[in-house]
Amino acid sequence: MERHRFDPLARAISASPVGVVVAAIVVTALAMAWSWNRIRMDANTDSLMGDDRPYVQQYRRFLGEFGDLEYAWIVVDAQGADGVRRTGEAQRAVDLLDRALRAKPSIERVCSRVTAPEQSRLATWAMETADLRGLAEARDALPLVAADAGAGTLVADARRRLERLGLGALFMPRAEAEREGAAAFLELEAIAAAAPGAPPFVGTPREEEFLASDSGRLLFVGVMPRKDFSRFEVIDQPLADMRAAIEEVRARVPDVEIGMTGKPVLQADEMATTNTDMNLSSAVGMALCVGLFMAVFRGVKLPMLAFAAFLVGCALTYASAALLFGRLNLLSVVFMLVLVGVGLDYGIHMVARYVEARRRLPVEESVLHMMRTAVPSNLSGALTSAGVFLLAWFTEFQGLRELGMVSGVGILLTFLAIIVVLPALLVLFDARIAVPGREAPTPFFLQREGVDRSIGLPKARMVVAASALVAVACAWYGLTHLRFESNLLKLQAEGLDSVAWEHRVIDDAAAASWFGACFTDRMEDIPPLAERLRAHPEVGRIRSVLDAVRMETPERAALRMRLANAIEAAPARPRRVEDWGAGDLRDCAMRADGLAGHADREAPEAAGRMRALAARLRTLADLADPALHGEAEASAARTAVEDAVARAAHGMRAMAEGARMPLRDALPESVRAQMVSPGGRFLVMVHPAGDVWDSAPLDRFVAALRAEDPQATGVPMTVSESMRSMERSFAQQATLASLLVALLLWLDLRNARETCAALLSLAMGVSWTIGCMALAGSNFNLANFFAIPILIGLGIDSAIHVTHRAHEGALDHGFGSTRRAVVVTALTTTIGFGALVLAHHQGLRSLGVAMAIGSICCLVSSVWTLPALLRLVGLRPRRTHLRLAGADDARRDAA
């Protein structure tokens, strides 16, 4: 590569530095304004998956059909530390949480139970067909029961019907007698429901059904928070409201444990942890890098000028992200780490070459020397590093694509900003007087001249052999001990409360917050699908609308309408009979026993129910008899009977309302969205049998679902597919990056042996990295897997600078400022990423470990192994005229 091609640019910048700086300020301001108005933050993890992937398209169709079903779950553990189960206290805690959360505007929905009215409304959908027929047979009594005519009215009407049956049953048509008896007994059932221990009257459950695990130990409150994906704190206000409610309830119900989990909570906790960790690590890393920069250059001005030029590139990168995608997702937002790790290096190399010349040359000539020597190497490094990241566009994972595009374009823009703005800033602000001809060493000349020349061929062979031996050993050890950690919970911060509660739910409820989704247009398709799924050991609980209702048939639909019509015929103001007593109940009980005796032969089961009803009526008669229990207790018993009759009336009217509703509207609020879509499609929620946070059981579960329903979707599918996609993308990018680096390196060096030497030094550095990671007990995971492609880009950048300096005769005269600059850039990368070891988030910490180890290994391979390799391949200087042998040549070139 010809080193004089940047002379016109250098002279133009030196001629009008003010114009360049003013233009840079204007462009930076415009870029910041553009990105501020155009770019948005997208914290939705679904955005990391490419819309062109079939599994993503299927999942988006599911979301479009059923909506967002990713609830935050507040979990109440009824079993205390002493092992005693306090179900009543747990239910009280759920009641308090439900009321507190419903009052919060940041909460969209709260699901904690199926209420008694909801059960009544669903009754005609849920009861057995035989029970529906029985109600239809008793339809003559339905209007009176639903009219809330009072216990006396029902007793009188039932007694009249029983008398009629007793007197004329032999002469009545059988169907009429059965209808009359069914009506009488329905009226008496409404009364007998007040007896102690009696079952509730049909359609009038006494208790609410709480959402609970199969064991009954854990009670759940499902909370749908208002989600703002334009901010990284997607549910910060809802989360704060939920935690405040939990603390308040804990204080009032201290004997039960309460916690939160679910995908939104886990993601919010992870985001909060990573934000805190990133802020701390960035502050520490920036402070250490600036301190190192200033210590190396023994001043503040030059590092600040380089940093100012770097900031121009950052502003342009934000604008390019706004133009390319209009957003930053959870992966692409870390592009600043890449720019700090790569972009600042260009400024370091340029300042190093500038300082090298500045002790002997004026500013303009020093800038010319800097542009001739540093910019070509920086250009090769920028093209290579940017190419490595841009190759991510050819992978299948959208998050990695966007990170690669933004980072690759950002590297090029930062390179352009630094080579244009930094020279202008130097011309304007570095007015120190240089003494021509002075050969005094600068701070960069700590490297002794001739150190590389002292490595003859025998010693070079020893260095290469030792490096290769260590590389082979490290590669073997790393490949046999490293593994890919796919469990996302293990990447979270240790001791995180939401993770602990997720494990508690998994242990008790078989991963209740995870489910695969199968959906169908017909209810009839659900039972055979569920039966096939249950044959797989990976499948746990299966939930569908058939858990709440019976299979719909034309007969059931007709019976519901018949019941609804009968109930709605209830008189608005029925004639009430207020005078009733224990004798009336005993008379009804006696007549019921008589009818039971007649039914013993033909209908023994019905006869048993009649006798049980008669026994409850006698119990109530005794309780309502003031001669037996006193007036107060008798009055309380009569009040209980009236209350039971009123509940029966309310239940009947709710049943009629639910019978006329579409199925989805009749379902309880807490389960409606999880069973039937607004479009009428049915959802089958398939829970895994075990812990699917680990990839192996997750993949088996996904395979089992797709074996029975190829269109199955849900979070398990997207997580499994995205993890496989990330692994494939990592392998694709690493392979393509290696090929691209080899091609660009050969185009730059135009020498196969030198290209192989540089690539071999890089391969050794990567091998050492893998081995050292294994020795440190670190593994690859979804947070640090892209460290290797980054290291390939960073490592080859150092190798390019070392090789270019070797072309200037460095193997004979020393690498001077280049080696020092390579060391500094590697150390800034190590510090920048290595500060992540302070993170509590284990994924970020592992990324810091991988990048710190990799940066040091690639540094050693570049400054120690590569010169020996270049000596072995017989590299000959090509551009000795660029060495600072004296000021006259440089001045002559500048003239």
Side-chain angles (χ1 to χ4, degrees):
M1 182 180 291
E2 177 58 50
R3 300 295 183 99
H4 288 278
R5 67 178 59 182
F6 293 102
D7 286 5
L9 177 61
R11 293 191 179 97
I13 294 172
S14 297
S16 48
V18 175
V20 172
V21 172
V22 170
I25 293 173
V26 171
V27 170
T28 300
L30 291 175
M32 292 175 63
W34 168 268
S35 57
W36 180 267
N37 292 321
R38 297 283 180 168
I39 203 165
R40 63 182 176 86
M41 300 301 173
D42 186 356
N44 192 344
T45 54
D46 295 340
S47 299
L48 299 179
M49 303 176 290
D51 289 335
D52 58 335
R53 312 308 299 172
Y55 72 92
V56 176
Q57 296 170 357
Q58 181 66 15
Y59 184 61
R60 294 203 187 282
R61 283 195 292 270
F62 163 69
L63 292 178
E65 183 71 32
F66 288 91
D68 186 1
L69 299 182
E70 291 180 0
Y71 283 80
W73 292 100
I74 298 179
V75 188
V76 180
D77 193 340
Q79 185 166 305
D82 55 3
V84 177
R85 184 168 294 187
R86 299 176 175 86
T87 303
E89 290 291 283
Q91 291 177 350
R92 178 168 170 257
V94 169
D95 288 336
L96 294 172
L97 287 166
D98 189 287
R99 285 199 295 271
L101 292 171
R102 287 182 186 274
K104 303 294 185 182
S106 64
I107 305 298
E108 286 187 4
R109 293 192 301 274
V110 180
C111 307
S112 63
R113 75 203 68 205
V114 178
T115 65
E118 287 177 326
Q119 294 178 59
S120 298
R121 195 169 62 232
L122 192 65
T124 57
W125 292 88
M127 65 179 59
E128 297 280 0
T129 304
D131 295 331
L132 270 178
R133 295 192 191 108
L135 275 178
E137 194 172 47
R139 61 186 176 274
D140 293 343
L142 292 178
L144 198 60
V145 174
D148 194 10
T153 305
L154 293 188
V155 168
D157 194 65
R159 189 174 182 180
R160 177 185 63 79
R161 293 178 189 276
L162 292 175
E163 286 177 351
R164 185 165 178 252
L165 281 172
L167 294 174
L170 296 176
F171 305 101
M172 293 174 64
R174 182 182 179 89
E176 183 181 350
E178 290 177 349
R179 280 180 57 185
E180 196 76 357
F185 279 102
L186 183 69
E187 292 169 333
L188 293 177
E189 287 283 5
I191 294 168
F201 181 67
V202 59
T204 59
R206 291 195 181 99
E207 296 182 352
E208 300 174 318
E209 292 186 7
F210 288 83
L211 302 184
S213 62
D214 292 340
S215 69
R217 171 179 171 176
L218 302 181
L219 301 185
F220 298 96
V221 180
V223 182
M224 180 57 68
R226 297 191 185 278
K227 301 175 182 178
D228 183 3
F229 290 112
S230 66
R231 304 170 63 245
F232 284 127
E233 300 83 5
V234 177
I235 60 168
D236 56 340
Q237 187 57 51
L239 200 58
D241 290 339
M242 285 187 281
R243 287 185 168 136
I246 288 174
E247 289 303 317
E248 180 182 343
V249 174
R250 278 175 179 161
R252 298 178 64 179
V253 190
D255 293 331
V256 297
E257 294 183 83
I258 308 174
M260 275 194 304
T261 189
K263 185 179 176 183
V265 179
L266 289 166
Q267 288 182 343
D269 284 350
E270 181 176 34
M271 188 59 63
T273 304
T274 53
N275 281 345
T276 302
D277 290 340
M278 288 293 290
N279 290 336
L280 174 62
S281 301
S282 298
V284 172
M286 185 64 70
L288 292 176
C289 286
V290 170
L292 175 66
F293 210 176
M294 292 178 179
V296 168
F297 288 101
R298 297 185 181 178
V300 175
K301 181 170 60 178
L302 295 182
M304 290 299 100
L305 295 180
F307 189 69
F310 168 75
L311 291 180
V312 175
C314 293
L316 294 175
T317 304
Y318 270 106
S320 69
L323 183 63
L324 290 171
F325 301 108
R327 68 179 185 183
L328 290 174
N329 61 43
L330 292 172
L331 268 183
S332 61
V333 73
V334 303
F335 78 90
M336 277 302 299
L337 281 177
V338 176
L339 292 189
V340 171
V342 181
L344 273 176
D345 294 356
Y346 306 137
I348 292 174
H349 282 288
M350 291 186 67
V351 171
R353 287 297 191 128
Y354 175 79
V355 171
E356 183 180 63
R358 187 68 181 90
R359 294 296 294 258
R360 291 172 289 166
L361 299 175
V363 171
E364 291 79 4
E365 295 177 10
S366 297
V367 166
L368 183 63
H369 173 78
M370 174 185 71
M371 297 291 284
R372 288 180 176 180
T373 55
V375 172
S377 299
N378 278 344
L379 175 60
S380 298
L383 291 175
T384 305
S385 298
V388 168
F389 283 99
L390 292 173
L391 285 173
W393 186 253
F394 300 100
T395 65
E396 59 187 77
F397 194 67
Q398 184 65 22
L400 191 59
R401 289 178 184 173
E402 294 186 19
L403 171 62
M405 285 296 294
V406 174
S407 298
V409 172
I411 288 172
L412 295 176
L413 291 174
T414 303
F415 163 75
L416 290 174
I418 288 177
I419 69 168
V420 172
V421 178
L422 179 56
L425 292 173
L426 291 172
V427 172
L428 284 177
F429 296 104
D430 189 25
R432 292 177 294 111
I433 298 175
V435 181
R438 179 175 293 179
E439 296 286 345
T442 69
F444 265 69
F445 293 155
L446 299 180
Q447 164 67 49
R448 297 195 313 272
E449 296 292 332
V451 67
D452 303 292
R453 182 177 52 192
S454 66
I455 301 179
L457 283 178
K459 195 169 183 179
R461 292 190 185 101
M462 290 178 59
V463 170
V464 171
S467 300
L469 182 62
V470 173
V472 171
C474 286
W476 171 82
Y477 187 81
L479 294 176
T480 55
H481 289 77
L482 280 180
R483 62 187 180 87
F484 191 88
E485 178 56 74
S486 58
N487 190 323
L488 298 178
L489 287 184
K490 293 182 179 179
L491 302 185
Q492 297 271 28
E494 295 178 353
L496 207 58
D497 193 55
S498 56
V499 174
W501 278 96
E502 181 71 14
H503 282 299
R504 192 180 300 201
V505 171
I506 291 171
D507 294 340
D508 187 80
S513 64
W514 287 71
F515 67 89
C518 306
F519 47 97
T520 178
D521 294 323
R522 303 191 315 150
M523 189 185 291
E524 297 82 19
D525 296 334
I526 297 176
L529 174 61
E531 184 178 355
R532 295 196 307 271
L533 287 169
R534 289 191 181 98
H536 294 273
E538 299 84 6
V539 172
R541 184 181 179 186
I542 299 175
R543 295 193 295 156
S544 72
V545 70
L546 294 181
D547 293 334
V549 304
R550 303 291 174 182
M551 181 68 70
E552 180 68 323
T553 63
E555 180 191 7
R556 290 181 63 86
L559 289 171
R560 280 200 309 277
M561 290 303 102
R562 191 181 302 174
L563 291 176
N565 292 334
I567 293 171
E568 289 169 356
R573 294 183 178 179
R575 184 177 62 85
R576 298 178 68 90
V577 177
E578 303 293 347
D579 186 20
W580 66 276
D584 298 308
L585 295 180
R586 291 191 180 103
D587 183 70
C588 289
M590 180 189 68
R591 294 177 187 277
D593 275 336
L595 290 176
H598 292 299
D600 274 336
R601 181 176 298 177
E602 294 186 4
E605 186 177 346
R609 291 198 299 270
M610 293 177 191
R611 288 193 175 91
L613 172 62
R616 294 196 294 274
L617 290 173
R618 289 192 185 92
T619 299
L620 278 178
D622 290 344
L623 292 173
D625 191 343
L628 295 177
H629 297 284
E631 189 61 42
E633 292 190 20
S635 176
R638 290 173 58 87
T639 300
V641 171
E642 294 290 355
D643 290 342
V645 171
R647 283 197 302 272
H650 288 299
M652 281 291 161
R653 290 196 291 271
M655 285 172 58
E657 180 186 4
R660 291 196 181 279
M661 283 181 172
L663 172 58
R664 188 175 193 274
D665 295 338
L667 288 169
E669 179 190 12
S670 60
V671 297
R672 182 181 302 146
Q674 302 170 21
M675 292 184 173
V676 183
S677 74
R681 304 190 78 182
F682 299 99
L683 175 63
V684 180
M685 301 176 69
V686 187
H687 293 281
D691 183 358
V692 291
W693 284 99
D694 286 317
S695 61
L698 174 61
D699 291 342
R700 290 194 297 269
F701 173 71
V702 169
L705 260 66
R706 286 184 170 161
E708 306 304 336
D709 182 5
Q711 300 302 313
T713 185
V715 172
M717 278 67 173
T718 59
V719 171
S720 175
E721 290 284 3
S722 61
M723 286 195 299
R724 301 291 82 76
S725 176
M726 290 176 75
E727 291 174 7
R728 289 192 298 269
S729 297
F730 163 72
Q732 291 169 1
Q733 190 180 14
T735 301
L736 292 174
S738 300
L739 295 175
L740 179 67
V741 165
L743 176 61
L744 293 179
L745 197 58
W746 181 84
L747 290 175
D748 178 40
L749 301 178
R750 298 301 178 95
N751 185 292
R753 290 179 300 172
E754 295 172 11
T755 300
C756 290
L759 291 175
L760 185 56
S761 72
L762 174 63
M764 289 182 183
V766 173
S767 298
W768 297 346
T769 300
I770 294 173
C772 291
M773 283 182 62
L775 286 171
S778 182
N779 289 304
F780 284 115
N781 54 55
L782 296 174
N784 68 8
F785 75 102
F786 63 90
I788 294 300
I790 294 178
L791 288 172
I792 291 175
L794 296 178
I796 203 61
D797 186 71
S798 297
I800 288 172
H801 283 283
V802 170
T803 306
H804 279 195
R805 189 61 183 248
H807 287 161
E808 299 174 24
L811 288 177
D812 297 318
H813 303 285
F815 284 88
S817 63
T818 298
R819 171 170 282 176
R820 188 75 187 287
V822 167
V823 171
V824 173
T825 56
L827 289 178
T828 56
T829 302
T830 302
I831 293 170
F833 282 99
L836 291 173
V837 299
L838 301 174
H840 294 88
H841 188 275
Q842 297 183 76
L844 283 180
R845 189 189 307 159
S846 69
L847 175 59
V849 170
M851 287 301 299
I853 291 175
S855 298
I856 295 298
C857 290
C858 289
L859 167 64
V860 174
S861 69
S862 295
V863 301
W864 186 57
T865 306
L866 181 56
L869 284 167
L870 294 176
R871 177 73 72 181
L872 283 182
V873 300
L875 179 142
R876 298 296 179 187
R878 305 180 192 175
R879 303 178 179 91
T880 55
H881 63 283
L882 290 175
R883 290 182 62 244
L884 283 173
D888 295 335
D889 291 340
R891 288 198 181 97
R892 188 183 312 113
D893 291 335

